[in-house]
Amino acid sequence: MKLNKERIVDAGMATFAEVGYHGLSMRQVAERLGAHAGSLYYHVRSKNELLAMMADRVCQQAYDAGTAALAALPSPSTWQDEIEVQATALRGSIRQHPGGAILLADSPGMLSPGALSLLERLLRTLAAAGVPAEHRLIAADTLLSHVTGFVLQEQGTSPTPDVTPATYADLRERFPRVFAETPPPGQDEKFRRSIRLLCVAFDALIKS
């Protein structure tokens, strides 16, 4: 089958899921496609460009998912609802790809149409909400960075250490506010609350 950018990105995503950000090589991608590494460079100039294209695909998927989520919102909805569904769509799209958060966080800087589309729509939402112009870009960037960082923790591979009852009791005594009586919320609820807290901050900018 003839090589093209779409097939190369497909192979790159599949290889990335197996070997991670730093393990990915053009040779591995070429082998998955049954091609010589040199033939890939007719379509993709470098590994960095391939990583940027892969990140752009994830962003475009998130944009499309956000479009569907916004369309499904009941009427009337608030700007906070619109922010939440966009953030949730981005989180879901990143989580579909093993290591997706690292891909977005570490991919080379590039004017990505997918990422710019996400940012542009968030800026429109913030503008319609009344966030002052001088704060909108920072607010949108903060939101996108938070979502990526949240998923980065979710996709982390560090093993959770075993904690004995005695160790846990000692930790609770030393750090009572960290190890509170109330069980922590699940990840979905924790994410929802974190987005709502950011919206409170955005609302303060509107009312200032």
Side-chain angles (χ1 to χ4, degrees), residues 92-134:
S93 296
I94 298 173
R95 291 179 64 188
Q96 289 177 15
H97 304 280
I102 294 176
L103 179 64
L104 293 192
D106 288 352
S107 60
M110 185 178 178
L111 292 178
S112 157
L116 291 174
S117 295
L118 289 171
L119 183 59
E120 180 74 13
R121 183 164 60 194
L122 273 174
L123 289 170
R124 286 200 304 269
T125 304
L126 293 169
V131 174
E134 65 269 24

Side-chain angles (χ1 to χ4, degrees), residues 79-80 193-206:
W79 64 265
Q80 292 94 333
R193 291 189 196 179
S194 71
I195 298 301
R196 288 290 171 166
L197 282 174
L198 285 175
C199 287
V200 170
F202 300 158
D203 192 47
L205 294 174
I206 297 170

Side-chain angles (χ1 to χ4, degrees), residues 36-192:
H36 295 291
S39 62
L40 269 60
Y41 292 102
Y42 287 105
H43 306 276
V44 180
R45 290 173 295 182
S46 66
K47 173 185 171 179
N48 282 351
E49 183 175 358
L50 175 58
L51 287 165
M53 292 167 63
M54 290 159 53
D56 183 66
R57 174 179 287 186
V58 176
C59 289
Q60 188 59 57
Q61 290 172 346
Y63 183 84
D64 293 342
T67 298
L70 286 167
L73 277 175
S75 183
S77 59
T78 66
W79 64 265
Q80 292 94 333
D81 295 329
E82 294 177 7
I83 290 288
E84 183 177 339
V85 297
Q86 289 175 71
T88 301
L90 176 58
R91 177 190 175 215
S93 296
I94 298 173
R95 291 179 64 188
Q96 289 177 15
H97 304 280
I102 294 176
L103 179 64
L104 293 192
D106 288 352
S107 60
M110 185 178 178
L111 292 178
S112 157
L116 291 174
S117 295
L118 289 171
L119 183 59
E120 180 74 13
R121 183 164 60 194
L122 273 174
L123 289 170
R124 286 200 304 269
T125 304
L126 293 169
V131 174
E134 65 269 24
H135 297 305
R136 288 175 204 154
L137 189 58
I138 295 175
D141 185 65
T142 298
L143 181 66
L144 294 174
S145 297
H146 170 69
V147 176
T148 303
F150 193 96
V151 183
L152 194 62
Q153 289 186 319
E154 289 186 300
Q155 294 185 327
T157 56
S158 299
T160 302
D162 292 329
V163 179
T164 65
T167 299
Y168 185 77
D170 177 63
L171 289 172
R172 281 195 57 188
E173 183 176 350
R174 294 171 59 195
F175 309 105
R177 289 179 176 80
V178 177
F179 295 88
E181 291 285 348
T182 305
Q187 286 296 96
D188 291 345
E189 178 62 14
K190 180 180 176 181
F191 180 76
R192 189 191 71 81

